[in-house]
Amino acid sequence: MITFEETGLSPEVLKAINELGYVNPTPIQERTIPELKDGTNDVVALAQTGTGKTAAFGLPIIESVECKNKKVQVLVLCPTRELALQITKDLVAYSKYIQGLYVTAVYGGADIGKQIRELKKGSQIVVGTPGRVNDLCKRGVLQLGGLRYLVLDEADEMLNMGFKDELDSIISNTPDDRQSLLFSATMPKEIENMSNRYLTNPVEIKVGKQNAGAVTVDHIYYMVHARDRYLALKRIADINPDIFGIVFCRTRHETKEVAEKLIGDGYNADALHGDLSQAQRDQVMHRFRSRHLQILVATDVAARGIDVNDLSHVINYNLPDDIEAYTHRSGRTGRAGKTGTSVAIIHTKENSKIREIERISGIKFKREMIPSGDEICTRQLFHLVDRVEKVDINHEQIEGFVPQIIEKLSDFDREELIKRFVSVEFNRFIAYYEGAKDLNVYKKDLDKDKSSGRRGNGKYSRLYINVGKAHGMTAQRLMGIVNENTDRNKVSFGKIEILRNFSFFEVDESGYKPVISALKGVNFEGEKLHVEVATAKPPKRKQRGKFDNKRDGRRSR
């Protein structure tokens, strides 16, 4: 293992990263830094989240910036404002001792006027989201004629978020002799096409197995009925009193709902999603980074760019629709050689998804049982005892109150005093979990589901639903929504057709009425669901301008 001194970085950069505690480069840094310092080839680098990609491209690039030239020489494109801010923060830290180098972040959801003023002052490095960068280019504010480096970070996610047109527009304004760097966690066909379109004979750097989970992360899953998912989440939090982690939800609506429930139930939690203003996002992230929050509930998109160390848990409240995204989530814990736990809460129809993640990523899940009320109470009791044992006593402040306290409690013996002090915090757990039901699904339950006519009589009713691909609907999400809202978990599906603006799906004809009733008015990505028995022609839909605006807003982040 080499040190950073052996990579040939300048004394100014080495001084800055030494202060940050950097000693040995990660594998992606060890291979990328020499390539960028000594070569002029375009680069495609494949590495997982949390492997140090920002330093891999940032350290050699800031050394090559001509500080006397105030024109934009480096453009870093990334999918979200959170990631743009994190990259900017890192680049500023790396260039601490390089005089005259300026980095500016530009992203949607913030005052564009302020960003324009920053750019006009002169910045050699610009970090931004495609929507805002494209806007500034069209306004003529962001001039890319002198660009030397183009970095596409989290390229797979930028494509997933629909930024292809913006990328095409931005890159058309850059010089042909630029050096282009593409960083991605996965290499699907779309990324390969992107590489062919934007890069010239790139050097490919692969670190680790693609889609592989980190070896320092334990992967476990709990199986419950869909209706018990939130109760299971609470028990996971309660059995881990010192939890510091992220709960991943599928939609903004679900994120807000879960966070509100946790806060209402007394947990130290908050939400991060696309509906928050930048000031609100900054406030939530400040509280989380400073550990004033134990649980952050977030969507995949909102969590992009979150760089918080020492997460104990990542909890998949729902498994992601894109199986590869699981490794992105789980990679946020177990970093820097430390261990972490990735938890999946699944319902009875998601066993196959667990197997698929195992096949693609090479990891192995362990099934664990949702803890009982007695187990949780025992854990919380001894956690409280440990806190009392290790608490720092401020003798100077408390000494004057001791005589009065002793006098007031003089009627109680030692054992009674211990019981009373412990009960102050512990009674609520005893009361809540008294008679708590077993949330686990057992093999006999699965067998009962299968033998209870899960496939009905083999006849299906074809139903219409007013959302499709344009709304983010997939077959998996449709089945999940139906199962969770019917509270039956025994819906038998036939053929499912996901079209652009609406969809059709078949359910056992004996149970279609409860499905229609249960989904009526349910919110899905800002659309109120409407389900009815399919006719020859789908019902006439209203203009979708409102939804389109939402999509545009989402893309500008």
Side-chain angles (χ1 to χ4, degrees), residues 310-519:
D310 302 329
L311 292 183
S312 64
H313 289 76
V314 166
I315 301 176
N316 296 269
Y317 190 75
N318 278 299
L319 287 171
D321 293 320
D322 178 6
I323 292 175
E324 292 175 348
Y326 177 82
T327 57
H328 282 286
R329 293 181 178 184
S330 63
R332 297 184 181 281
T333 185
R335 292 184 173 184
K338 297 183 179 180
T339 59
T341 303
S342 178
V343 177
I345 306 173
I346 70 169
H347 60 70
T348 55
K349 294 183 179 179
E350 292 183 310
N351 253 330
S352 60
K353 212 165 190 179
I354 290 290
R355 304 286 86 82
E356 185 71 3
I357 293 173
E358 288 182 326
R359 183 184 66 79
I360 290 176
S361 62
I363 65 173
K364 188 67 180 176
F365 277 91
K366 177 185 177 183
R367 181 179 178 183
E368 293 193 358
M369 308 307 284
I370 293 289
S372 66
D374 287 345
E375 290 172 317
I376 290 171
C377 288
T378 301
R379 176 69 63 85
Q380 287 287 343
L381 172 61
F382 285 102
H383 178 255
L384 176 59
V385 172
D386 287 341
R387 285 170 56 202
V388 171
E389 182 183 11
K390 296 173 183 177
V391 69
D392 292 327
I393 301 174
N394 191 327
H395 292 281
E396 185 177 334
Q397 292 291 327
I398 203 170
E399 201 67 46
F401 299 100
V402 172
Q404 291 174 279
I405 295 171
I406 291 175
E407 182 181 354
K408 192 169 183 64
L409 300 176
S410 60
D411 292 339
F412 304 114
D413 60 25
R414 180 171 178 269
E415 184 175 338
E416 182 68 16
L417 273 175
I418 291 173
K419 289 179 180 178
R420 286 179 176 270
F421 273 105
V422 167
S423 296
V424 169
E425 286 197 32
F426 190 58
N427 277 353
R428 66 187 180 93
F429 284 102
I430 295 175
Y432 179 78
Y433 283 110
E434 185 177 4
K437 69 176 183 178
D438 186 350
L439 300 180
N440 293 287
V441 173
Y442 298 94
K443 187 177 184 299
K444 61 181 177 62
D445 300 314
L446 296 174
D447 292 341
K448 184 179 178 181
D449 282 345
K450 291 177 182 177
S451 64
S452 64
R454 201 175 182 86
R455 301 300 298 178
N457 56 16
K459 296 181 180 180
Y460 295 93
S461 293
R462 189 167 185 253
L463 303 180
Y464 160 89
I465 187 168
N466 63 322
V467 289
K469 292 178 181 177
H471 305 79
M473 180 59 76
T474 64
Q476 293 87 351
R477 294 184 76 176
L478 178 57
M479 289 189 288
I481 290 167
V482 171
N483 283 324
E484 291 189 26
N485 285 283
T486 54
D487 200 28
R488 293 166 69 226
N489 204 35
K490 295 181 181 179
V491 176
S492 173
F493 291 92
K495 186 177 180 181
I496 298 176
E497 300 173 79
I498 307 296
L499 304 177
R500 176 166 176 74
N501 295 324
F502 54 88
S503 304
F504 297 105
F505 63 104
E506 294 178 340
V507 297
D508 175 19
E509 70 173 7
S510 64
Y512 77 88
K513 289 182 179 179
V515 171
I516 292 175
S517 176
L519 294 187

Side-chain angles (χ1 to χ4, degrees), residues 1-9 13-14 17 20-38 43 45-61 90 94 183 205-208 307 336:
M1 181 180 290
I2 69 170
T3 63
F4 275 105
E5 281 79 1
E6 296 174 79
T7 62
L9 293 169
V13 171
L14 288 174
I17 63 177
L20 295 171
Y22 290 24
V23 179
N24 304 108
T26 65
I28 189 65
Q29 294 164 358
E30 185 175 340
R31 294 186 59 187
T32 304
I33 291 172
E35 183 65 43
L36 296 183
K37 276 185 63 64
D38 304 327
V43 174
L46 303 176
Q48 292 299 319
T49 299
T51 53
K53 288 181 285 184
T54 302
F57 67 76
L59 297 177
I61 281 179
D90 290 340
Y94 302 154
F183 287 80
I205 298 174
K206 291 183 180 179
V207 175
D307 189 16

